[in-house]
Amino acid sequence: MAFDKDSIIASLKEASISDLNDLVKAIEEEFDVSASAPVAVAGAAGGDAAAAKDSYDVELTESGDQKVKAIKAVRDITGLGLKDAKGLVDNVPSVVKEGVSEDEANDIKAKLEEVGGVVTLK
């Protein structure tokens, strides 16, 4: 028997809504498929909202082996005094800067990672 899609479409045009609903259920059961919309579409929209973030907090999560260099970097980035910068580096995890742009956050991250620090952008 040859597959005749035109006759099937003609039959579907004449069917009632309840008949079409029954047909969809039967096809789902027979072929183990679902006619519902994929959930991944909704998940992708949520990912775009996260990617559109416009301000970041830069958090030093580990100071690394070169603490003195990390303190100097924190002083340069924040303008804090020696005691405050040392306190920030000694008490990790700590936020180095809040509400900065993505470019500035990436620059700060690069400077701190250069001296052995581990940085998280939030």
Side-chain angles (χ1 to χ4, degrees), residues 2 38 60 95 101 120:
L60 182 65
V95 176
S101 68
T120 304

Side-chain angles (χ1 to χ4, degrees), residues 1 4-5 14-15 25 31 34 38 50 53-54 63 69 71 73-74 88 90 92 94 99 102 108 116:
M1 179 176 149
D4 187 9
K5 72 176 179 178
E14 296 173 10
K25 287 179 183 178
F31 298 105
S34 175
K53 188 173 179 179
D54 59 353
S63 57
K69 289 184 180 182
I71 293 168
V74 168
L88 239 163
D90 286 341
V92 292
S94 54
E102 183 178 6
I108 293 169

Side-chain angles (χ1 to χ4, degrees), residues 36-50:
S36 64
V39 177
V41 173
D48 291 343

Side-chain angles (χ1 to χ4, degrees), residues 86-104:
K86 183 180 182 309
L88 239 163
V89 172
D90 286 341
N91 297 315
V92 292
S94 54
V95 176
V96 176
K97 260 199 161 174
E98 295 179 328
V100 297
S101 68
E102 183 178 6
D103 291 337
E104 186 178 357

Side-chain angles (χ1 to χ4, degrees), residues 51-114:
K53 188 173 179 179
D54 59 353
S55 69
Y56 294 85
D57 295 342
V58 181
E59 181 181 70
L60 182 65
T61 54
E62 291 180 34
S63 57
D65 296 335
Q66 304 174 26
K67 269 193 175 179
V68 173
K69 289 184 180 182
I71 293 168
K72 286 181 182 180
V74 168
R75 286 187 69 197
D76 290 341
I77 293 165
T78 62
L80 292 173
L82 180 60
K83 182 178 179 181
D84 293 330
K86 183 180 182 309
L88 239 163
V89 172
D90 286 341
N91 297 315
V92 292
S94 54
V95 176
V96 176
K97 260 199 161 174
E98 295 179 328
V100 297
S101 68
E102 183 178 6
D103 291 337
E104 186 178 357
N106 286 327
D107 289 342
I108 293 169
K109 181 178 179 182
K111 288 178 184 177
L112 291 171
E113 286 177 344
E114 188 176 301

